[in-house]
Amino acid sequence: MIRSFDMGILKMAWRNLSRHRRRSVVTIAAMTLALFVLILYSGLLEGYLRNMEGNILDLEVGDVQVHAGDYLNRPSIYTRIEEPDVVLTALDGAGVLATARLLGGGLVAAGESSAGASFRGVDVERDARVSRIGEHVSRGAWLDPAEPRGVVLGRRLARTLDVEPGDELVFLSQAADGSTANDLFEVRGVLLGVGDATDRAGVFLTEGAFREFFVLPNGAHQIILRRSGEQVLEDVAGAVRGAAPALDVKTWRELMPTMASLIDTTRGIVQIVFYVVYVVIAILVLNAMLMAVFERIREFGVLKAIGVSPGTVLAIIVV
């Protein structure tokens, strides 16, 4: 009895769609178009945001960074993590990918051109597990431990110095022991666009070449970490703080609050757009329903006159 009653409501509701086919088609088309546009818009925007965030994390910042003391506020070649291998071993045991980097500043020259440079010493093998910058070379090749004299430059720095792979460079700086550091290196590769700081002044060396040039036998200035897809950013940062309580541990959101805010705000705007479009479509559907109700006032009156309850009439309209 109940099943027959429900089927009757469903049948009447279905037939109502064909009473004014043009109106039904327009309503369905509007809903379909709105859904399609929302999916396309959100997909493109989310893809853009994920790609932007991925490039920032994969090429430069990482998910979490570890520094010694007040290094971020007052960078110095003397402020370094004294035993980075101990920290890296602990992080490996926790299943977190990590690598240590060496950072220094100086002058690089080629021919009659010179420019300030940010030298970055990397463990090539370990760094490849954390960063994709080794795959981001436009000309030449990435660092090779077998060729410690080969260096990789940011693209704007290479343009300023007017050098190509194979050209010779002169490095000049102050070593950690107070002596003057100067040596000849060869351009091994030039990077694609990474970021303003790296493009304008970035010079990548092998860890061994950096330590020899700056007379820095031990320690590291920075440890970069990457988390796996299922690991929560704050949980990873908390684990690192537990493993290295004396060090300064910051997530990429703390290091780049403006970029993090931009990404969050953009995602919030998408939600607002969704809400507005849903409200517009709801008004359209409501208008179509009201028109259908007003056109059938007499019909609904007859149904009520023969004993159909108001709830059943409402069920027919809603279904």
Side-chain angles (χ1 to χ4, degrees):
M1 178 76 176
I2 296 176
R3 181 177 178 81
S4 176
F5 178 74
D6 292 341
M7 289 300 295
I9 293 178
L10 182 60
K11 184 177 180 180
M12 292 180 66
W14 180 257
R15 291 181 63 185
N16 287 337
L17 291 179
S18 61
R19 292 171 63 92
H20 290 279
R21 295 182 181 179
R22 183 178 301 175
R23 182 168 60 204
S24 297
V25 169
V26 169
T27 304
I28 295 172
M31 296 172 65
T32 303
L33 178 62
L35 182 60
F36 171 77
V37 171
L38 285 179
I39 293 174
L40 180 63
Y41 171 73
S42 62
L44 290 174
L45 195 57
E46 182 65 22
Y48 169 75
L49 292 176
R50 289 190 181 188
N51 184 62
M52 180 173 63
E53 181 179 332
N55 283 338
I56 293 171
L57 303 186
D58 290 339
L59 299 179
E60 291 195 276
V61 181
D63 289 302
V64 179
Q65 288 189 5
V66 183
H67 301 87
D70 197 36
Y71 181 87
L72 287 176
N73 295 323
R74 300 180 64 185
S76 170
I77 196 171
Y78 303 105
T79 305
R80 56 185 184 267
I81 303 168
E82 295 299 336
E83 296 182 337
D85 291 338
V86 175
V87 180
L88 292 175
T89 301
L91 295 175
D92 288 341
V96 180
L97 301 177
T99 186
R101 285 187 176 181
L102 300 161
L103 306 174
L107 186 72
V108 57
E112 297 182 357
S113 301
S114 63
S118 172
F119 299 117
R120 307 175 189 186
V122 300
D123 181 337
V124 177
E125 181 180 353
R126 195 175 187 100
D127 204 85
R129 299 162 52 192
V130 176
S131 172
R132 290 194 300 107
I133 196 165
E135 307 168 10
H136 216 63
V137 178
S138 65
R139 303 189 299 280
W142 182 239
L143 299 174
D144 185 351
E147 297 183 18
R149 293 295 172 184
V151 300
V152 177
L153 308 181
R155 63 176 184 175
R156 289 178 58 187
L157 178 60
R159 190 183 307 128
T160 300
L161 299 175
D162 192 22
V163 293
E164 292 291 338
D167 291 343
E168 192 173 67
L169 298 173
V170 178
F171 286 7
L172 180 64
S173 186
Q174 180 178 340
D177 63 354
S179 63
T180 299
N182 61 87
D183 210 339
L184 297 177
F185 290 86
E186 180 181 308
V187 179
R188 178 174 171 83
V190 178
L191 294 171
L192 294 167
V194 176
D196 183 65
T198 301
D199 294 347
R200 179 168 42 83
V203 178
F204 290 84
L205 305 83
T206 63
E207 179 183 4
F210 187 101
R211 291 191 185 280
E212 181 181 354
F213 179 72
F214 282 98
V215 194
L216 194 71
N218 52 56
H221 300 104
Q222 180 186 71
I223 294 178
I224 297 179
L225 297 87
R226 288 306 309 272
R227 60 194 170 101
S228 59
E230 63 273 7
Q231 291 176 315
V232 179
L233 180 62
E234 292 302 331
D235 291 346
V236 173
V240 178
R241 291 187 180 101
L247 300 177
D248 182 24
V249 180
K250 292 188 182 299
T251 66
W252 75 270
R253 287 181 165 273
E254 295 171 312
L255 293 168
M256 306 181 71
T258 302
M259 182 60 66
S261 177
L262 173 64
I263 292 174
D264 293 341
T265 300
T266 305
R267 288 198 170 108
I269 291 174
V270 172
Q271 299 299 321
I272 294 174
V273 171
F274 270 44
Y275 176 78
V276 171
V277 174
Y278 277 132
V279 168
V280 171
I281 296 303
I283 293 173
L284 176 64
V285 175
L286 180 61
N287 177 68
M289 291 181 64
L290 289 175
M291 290 297 295
V293 171
F294 289 142
E295 291 172 354
R296 299 163 61 193
I297 290 294
R298 293 176 62 85
E299 178 183 332
F300 291 143
V302 172
L303 288 175
K304 293 184 66 177
I306 62 176
V308 177
S309 67
T312 303
V313 174
L314 178 61
I316 294 173
I317 296 171
V318 172
V319 172

